[in-house]
């Protein structure tokens, strides 16, 4: 929790881990006289330094090995702010993988993968990718699976949801124009809950015209 009348910020606000676990940290930013505390809601997510402080500080934490085949999600409450930790299950994946225009990416959704960032239910498994693009560049994303119907979320470099739909983006004909330069995050999940199985994902980035260079 934090002190009344004080404002607080934490960064980052989320971190992912593979099933083996590991250590992490986050920063607290506030005025020098403002006190704060940190707590965990899960026994596998423990604070090993920085459980309380005043002014700017750091919170260090440990993530235990996940011996289950299912992924899990826990939170730290730091100065009244929520920090989310996602951890893959055995055989699953929480890594944000690079996505390039060629060749297409093949993957598999499993119950060990991290959950969708935007679906309210924990029954939507997700794979995440990143790609770098330039403001004004047009793109199309194509996903295919015979095991489930893919659904896509695209986030700007600032973490704002830019577009969603499936099994392709944009959902109609043509392409979508990217608003800013930087690294975009794509989440591939299923339209229906408990979607699992193999998929193929392709990114199409037509070359920029001279007017955008």
């Amino acid at each position: 929790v934090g002190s009344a009348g004080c404002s607080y910020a934490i960064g980052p606000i989320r971190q992912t881990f593979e099933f083996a676990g590991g250590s992490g940290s986050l920063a607290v930013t506030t005025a020098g006289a403002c006190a704060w505390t940190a707590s965990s809601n899960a026994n596998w997510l423990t604070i090993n330094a920085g459980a309380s402080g005043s002014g700017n500080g750091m919170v260090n934490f440990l993530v235990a090995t996940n011996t289950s085949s299912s992924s899990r999600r826990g939170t730290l409450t730091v100065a009244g702010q929520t920090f989310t930790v996602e951890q893959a299950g055995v055989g699953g994946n929480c890594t944000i993988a690079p996505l390039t225009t060629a060749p297409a990416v093949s993957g598999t959704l499993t119950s060990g993968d991290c959950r969708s960032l935007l679906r309210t239910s924990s029954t939507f498994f997700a794979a995440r990718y990143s790609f770098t693009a330039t403001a004004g560049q047009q793109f199309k994303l194509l996903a295919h699976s015979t095991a489930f119907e893919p659904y896509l979320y695209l986030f700007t470099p600032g973490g704002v949801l830019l577009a969603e739909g499936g099994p392709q983006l944009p959902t109609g004909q043509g392409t979508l124009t990217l608003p800013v330069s930087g690294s975009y995050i794509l989440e591939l999940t299923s339209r229906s809950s408990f979607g699992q199985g193999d998929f193929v994902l392709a990114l199409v980035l037509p070359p920029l015209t001279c007017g955008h260079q």
Side-chain angles (χ1 to χ4, degrees):
V1 296
S3 301
C6 292
S7 62
Y8 300 88
I10 63 172
I13 61 171
R14 177 186 301 273
Q15 190 169 351
T16 60
F17 290 84
E18 298 308 300
F19 80 94
S23 61
S25 63
L26 65 142
V28 183
T29 304
T30 187
C34 292
W36 49 267
T37 61
S39 61
S40 170
N41 76 337
N43 58 11
W44 53 268
L45 174 59
T46 57
I47 297 169
N48 64 332
S52 62
S54 293
N56 295 339
M58 297 292 296
V59 177
N60 299 326
F61 60 91
L62 298 174
V63 177
T65 300
N66 185 2
T67 58
S68 168
S69 60
S70 297
S71 63
R72 58 189 181 184
R73 180 179 293 176
T75 59
L76 299 178
T77 301
V78 182
Q81 313 296 305
T82 300
F83 176 83
T84 302
V85 173
E86 294 181 285
Q87 185 181 22
V90 176
N93 185 20
C94 279
T95 301
I96 299 176
L99 180 63
T100 58
T101 53
V105 172
S106 297
T108 305
L109 280 188
T110 74
S111 62
D113 293 336
C114 279
R115 275 29 177 184
S116 170
L117 295 173
L118 293 184
R119 298 299 181 103
T120 56
S121 170
S122 63
T123 58
F124 291 87
F125 316 120
R128 296 174 193 146
Y129 298 89
S130 66
F131 65 91
T132 300
T134 303
Q137 196 161 18
Q138 296 180 326
F139 85 99
K140 180 182 284 289
L141 287 160
L142 305 170
H144 174 73
S145 174
T146 58
F148 64 93
E149 184 178 0
Y151 196 85
L152 305 172
Y153 293 103
L154 182 67
F155 300 88
T156 68
V160 177
L161 179 64
L162 176 63
E164 65 174 281
Q168 68 178 45
L169 283 179
T171 54
Q173 297 296 317
T175 57
L176 187 66
T177 301
L178 297 171
V180 297
S181 299
S183 181
Y184 287 78
I185 299 297
L186 171 71
E187 178 182 280
L188 184 151
T189 185
S190 55
R191 186 178 291 275
S192 302
S193 60
F194 295 105
Q196 300 181 62
D198 296 336
F199 64 85
V200 176
L201 176 65
L203 169 66
V204 180
L205 284 173
L208 284 171
T209 62
C210 293
H212 289 297
Q213 291 180 345

